[in-house]
């Protein structure tokens, strides 16, 4: 937290993401093996000192066109950026479809998928694996794959009436190379003045073209978004 004990929070404005509470900012990349997303690579910290507002906030670009990425330089005003929220209504539990295996229930909310690719590997994927979870090794590998999902579209829990088992990720915003903002640590996100459901992990759009703003839907790949 900051000196005035502001809780970590991200406010989605019509322009930038307004980050409060001194949330650490880092670089991140997806490690690819055999043409599939295999793991996360967390890189260097990103210094925010030069971009802090008088109240300690910093602003992150949402339009994808800032010259000072990942920070906002007000380019959204020049290009007429439309940051109107269009994220799915309701809660994850209301939207997700459950797939029951042995000693595990997989939740899947396609409406918030970022298409990062951690759910698949060569000739296999989470949906196939859930049917083979009587094998403890398969179950553990599947759970690890689910744990890497940046948007939280995929989750797992030991039983239908149990709490979701979430990775112990820190409070952090990871700026993923040519991709999204990966927000972890159950950071509160406010949209249009109202808090949305707090999740252990979320993926927020930074290319400006997602159809489920402020969430990421993987459109950055289609439009060729880059950090440069």
């Amino acid at each position: 937290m900051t000196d005035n004990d502001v809780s970590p929070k991200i406010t989605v404005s019509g322009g930038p993401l307004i980050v409060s509470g001194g949330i650490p900012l880092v670089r991140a990349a997806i490690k690819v093996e055999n043409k599939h997303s295999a793991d996360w690579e967390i890189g260097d910290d990103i210094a925010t000192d030069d971009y802090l507002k008088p109240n300690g906030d910093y602003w992150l670009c949402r339009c994808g066109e800032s010259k000072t990425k990942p920070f906002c330089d007000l380019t959204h005003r020049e290009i007429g950026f439309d940051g109107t929220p269009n994220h799915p209504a309701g809660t994850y539990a209301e939207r997700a479809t459950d797939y029951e295996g042995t000693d595990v229930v997989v939740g899947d909310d396609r409406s918030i998928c970022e298409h990062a690719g951690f759910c698949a590997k060569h000739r296999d994927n989470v949906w196939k694996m859930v049917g083979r979870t009587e094998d403890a090794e398969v179950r553990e590998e599947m759970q690890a794959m689910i744990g890497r999902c940046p948007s939280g579209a995929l989750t797992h829990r030991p039983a239908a009436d149990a709490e979701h088992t979430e990775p112990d990720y820190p409070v952090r915003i990871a700026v993923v190379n040519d991709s999204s903002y990966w927000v972890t640590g159950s950071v509160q996100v406010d949209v249009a003045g109202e808090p949305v459901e707090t999740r252990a992990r979320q993926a927020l759009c930074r290319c400006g073209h997602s159809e489920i703003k402020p969430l990421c839907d993987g459109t950055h790949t289609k439009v060729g978004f880059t950090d440069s």
Side-chain angles (χ1 to χ4, degrees):
M1 294 186 183
T2 57
D3 291 340
N4 56 357
D5 288 337
V6 175
S7 297
K9 182 174 73 171
I10 298 174
T11 302
V12 180
S13 72
L17 296 176
I18 301 172
V19 181
S20 307
I23 303 174
L25 195 63
V26 302
R27 298 283 179 191
I30 294 174
K31 182 180 180 181
V32 176
E33 296 178 354
N34 298 319
K35 300 182 179 180
H36 291 283
S37 300
D39 206 348
W40 284 103
E41 294 182 337
I42 304 300
D44 296 334
D45 293 346
I46 300 175
T48 60
D49 292 355
D50 291 343
Y51 297 92
L52 293 179
K53 306 302 178 183
N55 64 355
D57 294 349
Y58 62 86
W59 294 2
L60 294 177
C61 173
R62 288 183 66 210
C63 73
E65 300 295 334
S66 171
K67 306 300 187 300
T68 59
K69 296 184 190 74
F71 301 101
C72 172
D73 67 356
L74 303 182
T75 294
H76 59 273
R77 296 179 180 177
E78 300 174 9
I79 64 174
F81 170 65
D82 182 2
T84 303
N86 193 34
H87 55 292
T91 66
Y92 177 83
E94 293 168 342
R95 298 188 304 265
T97 299
D98 284 347
Y99 298 87
E100 190 165 352
T102 301
D103 296 329
V104 66
V105 176
V106 173
D108 178 17
D109 178 7
R110 292 293 83 199
S111 71
I112 61 171
C113 178
E114 185 197 343
H115 304 284
F118 288 108
C119 54
K121 59 180 185 176
H122 185 58
R123 296 182 180 178
D124 211 352
N125 60 48
V126 164
W127 299 272
K128 292 179 181 179
M129 296 170 77
V130 72
R132 309 198 308 274
T133 46
E134 71 279 359
D135 184 327
E137 289 187 5
V138 172
R139 184 169 63 250
E140 290 174 6
E141 183 178 10
M142 182 196 71
Q143 290 170 335
M145 292 164 66
I146 290 172
R148 299 183 188 108
C149 172
S151 67
L154 288 172
T155 60
H156 68 85
R157 58 194 192 277
D161 58 353
E163 295 291 327
H164 292 285
T165 302
E166 290 286 359
D168 188 23
Y169 289 126
V171 174
R172 181 171 66 194
I173 300 173
V175 179
V176 185
N177 289 353
D178 302 335
S179 184
S180 63
Y181 296 116
W182 180 34
V183 182
T184 58
S186 299
V187 173
Q188 179 182 330
V189 178
D190 286 359
V191 179
E194 297 292 335
V196 298
E197 180 185 21
T198 299
R199 303 288 312 285
R201 46 196 162 133
Q202 299 186 73
L204 303 184
C205 174
R206 72 184 184 104
C207 75
H209 295 280
S210 172
E211 294 184 0
I212 57 170
K213 295 183 188 75
L215 305 180
C216 170
D217 65 357
T219 299
H220 53 264
T221 300
K222 297 178 183 178
V223 299
F225 172 73
T226 68
D227 293 306
S228 59

